């Protein structure tokens, strides 16, 4: 949302939120609902993302078309499946130097995005 030097705000499309980070390298952040024109934009991006996630599983796709959306509990396994199929590549905005986005990246990686296919890993 504010790229380049001084970056401290990001749009979380998955959760429909604006995340604002402290500029003191503490890693602290606050999450707020998107408002105004940004709210319309993030809702459409969220809908497109959920539809793409639903495409990873026939049961999810049927539920998506029946309900028009999916809850976080419903789409979480779909994220993992889409990453496994390499049809979804998560994107995170971070700054290691300023401790922006690092904790959220690590939390999401452990919960949703682990996509290592142990059969493909060379030993």
């Amino acid at each position: 949302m504010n790229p380049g030097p001084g970056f401290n705000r990001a749009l979380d499309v998955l959760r429909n939120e604006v995340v604002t980070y402290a500029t003191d390298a503490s890693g602290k952040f606050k999450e707020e609902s998107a408002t105004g024109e940004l709210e319309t934009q993030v809702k459409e991006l969220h809908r497109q993302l959920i539809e793409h996630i639903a495409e990873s599983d026939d049961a999810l796709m049927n539920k998506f078309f029946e309900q028009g959306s999916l809850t976080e509990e419903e789409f979480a396994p779909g994220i993992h499946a889409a990453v496994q199929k390499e049809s979804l590549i998560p994107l995170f905005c971070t700054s290691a130097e300023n401790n922006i986005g690092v904790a959220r990246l690590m939390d999401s990686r452990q919960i949703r995005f682990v996509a290592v296919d142990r059969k493909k890993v060379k030993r």
Side-chain angles (χ1 to χ4, degrees), residues 13-16 42-50:
V13 174
L14 193 59
R15 293 189 174 147
N16 290 321
V42 75
K43 282 184 177 181
E44 176 56 23
L45 291 170
H46 178 82
R47 187 199 61 75
Q48 290 175 17
L49 177 60
I50 298 305

Side-chain angles (χ1 to χ4, degrees), residues 1-2 7-12 17-21 93 100:
M1 294 181 60
N2 60 335
F7 156 73
N8 75 324
R9 295 182 76 211
L11 186 61
D12 185 335
E17 296 175 335
V18 175
V19 183
T20 304
Y21 295 90
C93 299
I100 292 175

